[in-house]
């Protein structure tokens, strides 16, 4: 029984817990044991909070008995280590925050706590969410459970790997340019990036504030919908969160996709796309058509500029967001000859290569004399990219594409060439620039057995159509598998 | 050569909201270090700012009172620089799209002609924290107090329209008065509620192009402003006349020595890398919001002064002094409502109320131990002849000391003026009898001695004799 528990998805555990067949303490212990057993290979967890988890599980059991469980009560959840957790070390996988214990909970964490979720620990990631392979963690790379030689994707690599490896049924990630969808694709799980403003960013340590969004990473669409229902909603503490009526994505999943209009963007099926991936994604689109959707080609003409725009805007925001890590607080100070020197030495020692590279890029883009050429122009092009989507979503409800042009690559393959690494996000970045919702879900496997991801995108606040389309596809296919670890 | 001074001023005014600009922490002054703080104003990772609407309300009022255009859409921007008192590594301010622009304030130039000083822009921003340096020689550390971090400020930037220290002082005084009138700033310069940076340059008289300017920081009183301008003006003129060149730089005013000293040159100037703050939405202000703010505007200082001059027939000087604060103006008007003698009310305020307020270091007449009723009651007694103006001064002091009404004091102390002719006549007779030599001299033509006799009588009556009657009686006895 215990070893079977880790195979269960969140909603399946819900049923077991509510029927009294198992307790949350048993469930939690099963997942903690799994972490013990496999995390040495994967390195998905930066902090395991076993005691806290068991305490929360006991409280959840009491709550379930008393009959007021909510969908996530008693279910283990892993948190990407950029979500601040009161009293639990939050590192952003950076040396500069190695010993940071936040005095407060972010809004999403507070909501989950309120809902009775069980926090088993904090998940590895690319340092400050900067990366596409999880090789940029100051605390070691994360391994892909499907093939330990390969990367799990990034930056929410720990979240994706932990879910794929059955260490947690549910994890939260964050997506700035694909950081939920790309690792979800590489690890064969479901990852949803909500509409910008749908989920509060309060307590999400910012990489690029105008792009970041927290989202669920789960083993199926139903869990993703349940978690999203649990974390979204207006937050008076986040000025960019949007006032919307409460949602019931989970309840609307099975309404079918007859008449849903699917767009296929021609700019996403170009040279460089792995033919196996093209085949899998096209197959998925045919499947959707079979299920009653209407398929048509659309165009997103400014796609080719997205990566350039992103690496100007995201780095510009990051250069400012990361200024607070200045040696005055949070970290071991490296004393220099004067104040400025102390800043330099501390930051040089505390930040990793990629973070430093992006801080420099962003600083440059905002500098006097360059602002107009870089930052301002990038903002204008961002508007054009958003307009592409506006136009396309007049014609269709959901746009389908590959999530990434390749399956998970090998560790070290792209570390020497940052640009090549940046291009892994070419299909995911435009959506963040437009602030729209999207997801990645498994739609096939490569000949060498690696999962292939299907990306679905929708118009603003149209998570419902997105999730029900994904659900229909998932129900009709069988790509949600478990790696043999 | 004749030189012309050119000054533009940047005034930082701390707003009197109860809570900070981007979080709910208290703005009150003097709390133990780092007690009025939360994740937001500590700049903790993950925390986000949320704009305090009251700050916008206050800004709109200031804009309306300084003839600015209120922007329907403005934006917050990040000003990036490193300093230990700046917990986020950037200050949230406004840059490209400030809330207020294109205002002006009227002053008089040195010849007395009215002129407008343009206000380029006014924007909202958060204050930084404060470094507390230990009082230990050689200490290699400082403390950071973030109570002040995130306290709301308005930065009010003038055009370089100021041409003399007189204009500069008038401009700042007027600005201060307006802020205090609106109740948005306490105007307390020595506590840092208003801080001034002055951009100063000189140019040959008649030349249109501006000279190179120096930005003088840390000008924190009217006196400092005056000194800083005078010093900087002559420093620059001397420099140019000696064949040198003014360099664009930031200089610090040293109030102890009354001079400015170089801080950093243009080359060393910060590149603040301003960009729109992605954590805050563009601020959209609807017409109704502006209208609502307009409806709550008080009568502004200039309007009040001119009304005081006409309605109460007061001289300029009186109107100016009374209208320096809204509390004092109200105090005055309440007295006049109770006792309709504006000039007398004004005289008592200017002579005694202001004197005692300054002695007791009171910021507002509201803190004074007496009310308009006290003064009006005292004026009633003078008018009715119950007390003399001289006695009234003692009564005033007693009112201030005890808070008792004039009438009560007069009764308790028996200060009622003696207007009984026979009683005064007795005293007069005694004095004349006691001073035969002076009487003879007076009658011999030394009429100046009248003052001496009056003094003696008043002394003998302990000040209570009606001075008019004393004069009259003395005159008739000495000359009759």
């Amino acid at each position: 029984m215990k070893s079977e528990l880790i195979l269960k998805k969140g909603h399946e555990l819900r049923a077991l817990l509510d029927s009294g067949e198992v307790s949350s303490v048993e469930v939690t212990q099963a997942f903690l044991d799994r972490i013990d057993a496999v995390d040495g290979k994967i390195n998905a967890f930066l902090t395991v909070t076993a005691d806290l988890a068991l305490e929360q599980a006991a409280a959840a059991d009491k709550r379930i008995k008393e009959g007021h469980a909510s969908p996530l009560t008693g279910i283990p959840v892993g948190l990407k280590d950029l979500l601040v957790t009161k009293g639990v070390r939050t590192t952003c996988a950076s040396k500069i925050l190695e010993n940071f214990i936040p005095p407060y909970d972010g809004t999403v964490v507070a909501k989950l706590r309120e809902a009775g979720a069980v926090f088993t620990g904090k998940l590895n990631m690319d340092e400050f969410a900067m990366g596409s392979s999880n090789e940029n963690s100051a605390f070691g790379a994360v391994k892909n459970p499907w093939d330990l030689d390969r990367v799990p994707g990034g930056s929410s690599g720990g979240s994706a790997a932990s879910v794929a490896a059955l260490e947690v049924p549910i994890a939260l990630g964050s997506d700035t340019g694909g950081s939920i969808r790309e690792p979800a694709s590489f690890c064969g799980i479901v990852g949803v990036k909500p509409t910008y403003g749908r989920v509060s960013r309060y307590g999400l340590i910012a990489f690029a504030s105008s792009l970041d969004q927290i989202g669920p990473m789960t083993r199926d669409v139903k869990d993703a919908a349940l978690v999203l229902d649990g974390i979204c909603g207006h937050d008076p503490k986040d000025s960019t969160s949007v006032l919307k009526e409460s949602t019931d994505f989970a309840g609307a999943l099975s309404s079918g996709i007859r008449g849903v209009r699917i767009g296929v963007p021609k700019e996403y099926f170009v040279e460089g796309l792995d033919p196996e991936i093209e085949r899998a994604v096209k197959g998925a689109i045919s499947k959707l058509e079979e299920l009653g959707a209407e398929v048509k080609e659309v165009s997103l003409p400014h796609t080719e500029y997205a990566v350039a725009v992103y690496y100007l805007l995201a780095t510009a925001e990051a250069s400012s967001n990361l200024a607070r890590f200045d040696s005055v607080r949070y970290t071991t100070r490296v004393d220099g000859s004067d104040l400025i020197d102390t800043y330099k030495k501390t930051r040089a020692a505390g930040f990793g290569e990629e973070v430093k590279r992006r801080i420099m890029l962003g600083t440059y883009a905002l500098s006097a004399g360059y602002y107009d050429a870089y930052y301002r122009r990038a903002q204008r092009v961002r508007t054009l990219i958003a307009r592409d989507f506006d136009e396309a979503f007049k014609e269709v409800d959901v746009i389908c594409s590959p999530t990434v042009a390749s399956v998970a690559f090998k560790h070290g393959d792209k570390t020497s060439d940052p640009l090549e690494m940046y291009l892994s996000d070419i299909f995911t970045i435009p959506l963040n620039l437009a602030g729209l919702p999207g997801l990645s879900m498994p739609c096939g496997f490569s000949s060498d057995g690696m999962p292939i991801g299907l990306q679905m995108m929708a118009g603003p606040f149209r998570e419902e159509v997105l999730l029900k389309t994904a659900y229909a596809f998932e129900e009709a296919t069988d790509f949600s598998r478990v790696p043999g670890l | 050569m004749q030189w012309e001074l050119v000054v533009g001023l940047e005034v930082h005014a701390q707003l009197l909201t109860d809570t900070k600009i981007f979080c709910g922490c208290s703005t009150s002054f003097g709390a133990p270090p780092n007690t009025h703080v939360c994740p937001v104003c500590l700049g903790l990772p993950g925390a986000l700012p949320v704009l305090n609407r009251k700050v916008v309300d206050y800004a709109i009022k200031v804009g309306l009172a300084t003839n600015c255009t209120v922007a329907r859409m403005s934006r917050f921007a990040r000003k990036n620089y490193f300093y230990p008192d700046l917990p986020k590594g950037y200050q949230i301010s406004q840059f490209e799209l400030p809330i207020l622009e294109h205002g002006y304030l009227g002053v008089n130039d040195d010849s007395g002609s009215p002129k407008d000083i343009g206000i380029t822009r006014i924007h909202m921003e958060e204050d930084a924290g404060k470094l507390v340096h230990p009082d230990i020689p050689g200490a290699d550390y400082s403390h950071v107090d973030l109570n002040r971090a995130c306290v709301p400020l308005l930065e009010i930037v003038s055009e370089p329209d100021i041409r003399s220290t007189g204009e500069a002082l008038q401009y700042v005084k007027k600005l201060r008065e307006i802020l205090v009138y609106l109740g948005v700033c306490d105007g307390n310069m020595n506590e840092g509620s208003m801080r001034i940076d002055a951009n100063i340059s000189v140019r040959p008289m008649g030349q249109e192009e501006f000279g190179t300017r120096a930005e003088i920081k840390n000008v924190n009183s009217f006196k400092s402003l005056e000194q800083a301008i005078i010093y900087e003006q002559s420093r620059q003129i001397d420099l140019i006349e000696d064949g040198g060149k003014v360099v664009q730089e930031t200089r610090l005013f040293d109030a102890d020595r009354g001079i400015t000293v170089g801080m950093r040159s243009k080359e060393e100037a910060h590149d603040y890398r301003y960009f729109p703050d992605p954590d805050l939405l563009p601020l959209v202000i609807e017409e109704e919001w502006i209208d609502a703010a307009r409806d709550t505007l008080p009568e502004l200082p200039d309007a009040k002064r001119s009304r005081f001059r006409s309605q109460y027939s007061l001289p300029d000087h009186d109107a100016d002094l009374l209208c320096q604060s809204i509390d004092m103006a109200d105090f005055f008007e309440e007295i006049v409502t109770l006792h309709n003698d504006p000039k007398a009310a004004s005289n008592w305020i200017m002579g005694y109320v202001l004197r005692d307020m300054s002695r007791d270091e009171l910021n507002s007449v509201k803190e004074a131990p007496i009310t308009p009723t006290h003064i009006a009651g005292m004026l009633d007694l003078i008018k009715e002849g119950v007390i003399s103006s001289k006695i009234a001064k003692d009564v005033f002091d007693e009112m201030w000391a005890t808070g008792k009404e004039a009438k009560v004091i007069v009764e308790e102390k028996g200060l009622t003026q003696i207007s009984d002719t026979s009683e005064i006549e007795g005293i007069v007779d005694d004095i004349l009898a006691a001073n035969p030599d002076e009487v003879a001299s007076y009658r011999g033509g030394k009429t100046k001695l009248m003052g001496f006799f009056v003094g003696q009588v008043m002394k003998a009556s302990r000040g209570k004799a009606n001075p008019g009657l004393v004069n009259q009686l003395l005159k008739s006895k000495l000359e009759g």
Side-chain angles (χ1 to χ4, degrees):
Chain A
M1 178 70 192
K2 239 179 105 182
S3 60
E4 281 165 32
L5 283 177
I6 58 167
L7 286 164
K8 304 288 180 200
K9 289 153 189 165
H11 55 91
E12 293 166 346
L13 291 168
R14 168 89 276 118
L16 292 175
L17 289 168
D18 287 348
S19 69
E21 270 177 76
V22 291
S23 69
S24 172
V25 170
E26 286 170 303
V27 169
T28 302
Q29 192 58 58
F31 282 100
L32 288 171
D33 291 348
R34 175 70 172 176
I35 295 169
D36 264 353
V38 303
D39 204 57
K41 295 185 206 167
I42 299 170
N43 197 30
F45 277 83
L46 293 177
T47 305
V48 178
T49 51
D51 293 347
L52 171 73
L54 290 169
E55 233 172 78
Q56 286 177 317
D61 283 331
K62 186 160 174 272
R63 187 164 158 181
I64 294 165
K65 265 195 200 113
E66 287 164 2
H68 42 258
S70 63
L72 295 171
T73 306
I75 312 279
V77 175
L79 302 170
K80 186 177 183 180
D81 207 21
L82 48 46
L83 297 170
V84 301
T85 40
K86 188 174 182 174
V88 175
R89 190 174 81 122
T90 301
T91 68
C92 272
S94 180
K95 275 211 146 4
I96 215 153
L97 281 176
E98 191 167 5
N99 300 310
F100 175 52
I101 298 179
Y104 78 107
D105 271 339
T107 298
V108 163
V109 171
K111 277 184 175 226
L112 290 180
R113 213 188 273 282
E114 187 98 338
V118 172
F119 298 143
T120 48
K122 306 299 291 288
L123 295 162
N124 207 343
M125 54 186 279
D126 282 300
E127 184 180 2
F128 284 104
M130 296 178 185
S132 311
S133 67
N134 221 307
E135 291 167 294
N136 297 333
S137 166
F139 308 114
V142 178
K143 312 288 170 60
N144 192 317
W146 291 89
D147 177 352
L148 297 177
D149 289 336
R150 300 191 193 232
V151 302
S155 64
S156 310
S159 304
S162 66
V163 171
L166 310 178
E167 293 178 302
V168 282
I170 290 166
L172 289 187
S174 69
D175 192 315
T176 307
S179 281
I180 287 176
R181 291 160 288 154
E182 191 239 22
S185 170
F186 281 6
C187 293
I189 63 164
V190 176
V192 181
K193 182 255 166 208
T195 308
Y196 185 79
R198 181 68 103 171
V199 178
S200 169
R201 292 185 298 114
Y202 188 79
L204 163 70
I205 299 181
F207 158 20
S209 316
S210 74
L211 301 160
D212 298 339
Q213 195 67 188
I214 299 166
M217 302 182 77
T218 57
R219 290 182 44 228
D220 70 5
V221 175
K222 190 167 187 182
D223 271 2
L226 283 168
V227 175
L228 196 55
D229 282 327
I231 63 173
C232 70
H234 178 249
D235 179 10
K237 291 186 189 140
D238 175 1
S239 312
T240 63
S241 89
V242 178
L243 207 56
K244 284 273 167 192
E245 65 286 0
S246 63
T247 59
D248 183 14
F249 299 131
L253 286 177
S254 44
S255 53
I257 58 164
R258 188 149 300 281
V260 168
R261 299 164 302 166
I262 305 282
V264 182
K266 58 180 182 196
E267 292 81 1
Y268 285 56
F269 294 86
V270 287
E271 216 182 330
L273 177 61
D274 182 336
E276 285 188 324
I277 292 181
E278 178 160 3
R279 211 172 308 130
V281 171
K282 291 236 162 116
I285 293 165
S286 304
K287 189 73 191 175
L288 290 168
E289 200 166 16
E290 251 174 60
L291 294 170
E294 295 163 21
V295 175
K296 65 189 291 187
E297 189 180 80
V298 293
S299 175
L300 299 166
H302 294 92
T303 301
E304 62 173 309
Y305 305 110
V307 173
V309 166
Y310 175 83
Y311 278 94
L312 287 169
L313 298 181
T315 58
E317 292 179 18
S319 72
S320 174
N321 284 331
L322 270 58
R324 72 193 66 201
F325 307 111
D326 62 357
S327 81
V328 177
R329 291 181 294 166
Y330 310 119
T331 185
T332 311
R333 191 175 303 158
V334 183
D335 282 318
S337 56
D338 57 19
L339 181 62
I340 301 288
D341 197 39
T342 299
Y343 288 148
K344 287 182 182 169
K345 289 209 160 83
T346 304
R347 286 166 69 82
F351 288 134
E353 285 303 307
E354 183 60 26
V355 172
K356 282 185 242 186
R357 182 179 296 123
R358 294 199 194 187
I359 289 174
M360 284 190 282
L361 260 173
T363 303
Y364 190 76
L366 290 174
S367 296
Y370 297 98
Y371 182 87
D372 286 336
Y374 295 130
Y375 184 84
R376 200 189 300 276
R377 184 171 300 177
Q379 283 292 14
R380 294 210 181 107
V381 180
R382 179 179 187 173
T383 308
L384 296 177
I385 290 166
R387 232 175 258 164
D388 282 355
F389 282 103
D390 287 349
E391 287 305 313
F393 284 121
K394 284 179 188 163
E395 311 280 316
V396 298
D397 302 301
V398 174
I399 294 176
C400 288
S401 77
T403 308
V404 196
S406 70
V407 294
F409 45 90
K410 294 257 164 77
H411 284 280
D413 263 8
K414 299 192 179 184
T415 40
S416 57
D417 186 352
L419 262 185
E420 203 191 325
M421 186 75 90
Y422 294 173
L423 289 173
S424 345
D425 297 334
I426 192 162
F427 297 149
T428 49
I429 279 175
L431 197 76
N432 297 81
L433 292 172
L436 300 175
L439 59 78
S440 178
M441 65 188 301
C443 71
F445 289 85
S446 66
S447 48
D448 48 8
M450 294 305 292
I452 294 171
L454 166 69
Q455 176 172 232
M456 294 187 187
M457 306 178 259
F461 302 102
R462 298 208 66 206
E463 281 86 348
E464 192 174 304
V465 68
L466 191 68
L467 288 163
K468 78 174 186 185
T469 306
Y471 184 75
F473 179 74
E474 189 181 70
E475 289 288 285
T477 57
D478 181 27
F479 298 115
S480 174
R481 297 178 200 161
V482 173
L485 247 183
Chain B
M1 191 188 294
Q2 281 281 90
W3 295 92
E4 183 175 47
L5 170 74
V6 176
V7 178
L9 297 175
E10 292 171 18
V11 176
H12 286 89
Q14 183 181 321
L15 295 179
L16 281 174
T17 51
D18 294 333
T19 55
K20 295 182 176 183
I21 180 167
F22 298 122
C23 65
C25 291
S26 165
T27 54
S28 66
F29 187 76
N34 298 310
T35 53
H36 291 169
V37 292
C38 72
V40 177
C41 55
L42 288 173
L44 291 186
L48 296 170
V50 175
L51 179 60
N52 180 347
R53 274 181 72 93
K54 194 101 185 186
V55 173
V56 182
D57 268 337
Y58 283 7
I60 295 173
K61 283 189 192 180
V62 172
L64 293 173
T66 54
N67 313 294
C68 285
T69 309
V70 181
R72 291 309 192 74
M73 206 273 275
S74 70
R75 275 222 78 135
F76 285 93
R78 294 186 185 176
K79 179 180 182 178
N80 295 285
Y81 65 96
F82 286 98
Y83 204 65
D85 68 5
L86 192 69
K88 295 189 293 296
Y90 58 85
Q91 176 193 29
I92 305 177
S93 179
Q94 294 192 296
F95 185 58
E96 280 183 343
L97 298 169
I99 183 169
L100 304 164
E101 283 183 291
H102 314 305
Y104 62 89
L105 283 182
V107 299
N108 292 321
D109 67 16
D110 288 357
S111 70
S113 315
K115 71 177 268 192
D116 289 337
I117 306 298
I119 292 174
T120 316
R121 55 182 281 148
I122 302 179
H123 67 250
M124 301 172 280
E125 62 185 24
E126 59 178 343
D127 206 346
K130 193 172 76 174
L131 290 189
V132 184
H133 302 293
D135 205 7
I136 302 164
D140 62 350
Y141 64 92
S142 293
H143 290 125
V144 183
D145 178 4
L146 294 175
N147 282 348
R148 211 179 64 189
C150 225
V151 161
L153 301 176
L154 285 186
E155 180 172 334
I156 302 154
V157 182
S158 88
E159 290 286 312
D161 287 345
I162 294 164
R163 296 287 174 270
S164 70
T165 49
E167 289 175 23
L169 287 170
Q170 282 178 68
Y171 168 81
V172 178
K173 282 181 179 165
K174 276 215 153 167
L175 192 57
R176 180 180 176 280
E177 220 169 58
I178 287 172
L179 296 173
V180 175
Y181 257 62
L182 295 174
V184 303
C185 174
D186 66 19
N188 209 328
M189 298 185 78
N190 48 25
E191 276 176 19
S193 304
M194 268 181 80
R195 313 194 279 268
I196 306 167
D197 299 335
N199 288 302
I200 300 173
S201 65
V202 296
R203 62 181 171 190
M205 194 64 84
Q207 178 182 303
E208 215 165 289
E209 211 180 306
F210 290 130
T212 306
R213 67 191 160 87
E215 184 183 1
I216 316 299
K217 298 240 171 223
N218 196 32
V219 185
N220 295 333
S221 68
F222 292 121
K223 189 171 160 238
S224 293
L225 178 62
E226 190 172 11
Q227 284 179 339
I229 296 175
I230 291 169
Y231 176 84
E232 189 57 26
Q233 179 180 19
S234 63
R235 184 188 73 86
Q236 293 184 12
I237 293 172
D238 289 351
L239 196 62
I240 301 168
E241 289 186 341
D242 290 348
K245 263 179 114 176
V246 176
V247 292
Q248 191 175 332
E249 61 177 345
T250 303
R251 300 177 68 84
L252 201 64
F253 180 67
D254 179 340
D256 294 334
R257 294 191 286 165
I259 64 169
T260 67
V261 286
M263 208 170 121
R264 56 175 180 256
S265 70
K266 189 187 174 189
E267 287 71 37
E268 298 167 283
H270 293 298
D271 175 359
Y272 290 118
R273 307 192 318 278
Y274 283 101
F275 74 106
D277 190 334
D279 288 332
L280 290 158
L281 300 175
L283 171 63
V284 176
I285 297 173
E286 309 288 352
E287 191 67 45
E288 298 80 63
W289 198 351
I290 303 172
D291 290 342
R294 192 179 283 117
D295 289 344
T296 63
L297 283 185
E299 184 182 27
L300 292 170
D302 279 353
K304 198 181 277 288
R305 280 200 181 95
S306 111
R307 180 170 65 82
F308 272 36
R309 284 194 292 267
S310 55
Q311 183 178 342
Y312 301 117
S313 308
L314 290 175
D316 290 358
H317 177 71
D318 294 43
D320 280 354
L321 268 176
L322 294 174
C323 295
Q324 266 175 14
S325 88
I326 220 165
D327 290 346
M328 188 55 89
D330 288 348
F331 189 85
F332 166 81
E333 292 203 279
E334 275 178 58
I335 299 175
V336 175
T337 313
L338 299 167
H339 180 97
N340 189 11
D341 185 349
K343 185 57 186 145
S346 170
N347 288 344
W348 278 92
I349 289 173
M350 294 192 302
Y352 297 91
V353 178
L354 286 174
R355 177 198 67 186
D356 290 1
M357 277 176 64
S358 137
R359 183 195 61 210
D360 297 351
E361 294 178 357
L362 305 183
N363 289 318
S364 161
V365 71
K366 279 189 171 160
E367 296 165 21
I370 60 168
T371 64
T373 319
H374 285 91
I375 308 254
M378 184 190 74
L379 293 174
D380 286 344
L381 294 179
I382 299 173
K383 193 174 176 208
E384 289 158 13
V386 178
I387 54 172
S388 65
S389 297
K390 187 165 184 301
I391 295 271
K393 288 166 192 167
D394 298 333
V395 172
F396 180 90
D397 290 342
E398 193 65 19
M399 291 196 300
W400 193 276
T402 63
K404 289 181 182 167
E405 293 288 345
K407 207 169 179 175
V408 176
I409 293 167
V410 167
E411 273 166 18
E412 281 179 2
K413 301 218 160 188
L415 293 175
T416 309
Q417 182 165 259
I418 304 166
S419 297
D420 174 344
T421 315
S422 62
E423 198 179 337
I424 297 175
E425 200 168 1
I427 302 171
V428 167
D429 288 342
D430 289 350
I431 295 297
L432 294 183
N435 297 287
D437 294 350
E438 283 77 6
V439 172
S441 301
Y442 183 94
R443 289 187 174 138
K446 282 188 91 175
T447 52
K448 275 187 184 163
L449 279 164
M450 179 56 88
F452 165 78
F453 292 118
V454 172
Q456 291 296 311
V457 175
M458 294 307 288
K459 196 174 160 191
S461 74
R462 277 175 291 139
K464 291 192 288 181
N466 181 323
L469 274 178
V470 173
N471 260 299
Q472 197 188 320
L473 282 167
L474 276 170
K475 215 159 188 187
S476 71
K477 297 236 178 214
L478 286 165
E479 291 171 15

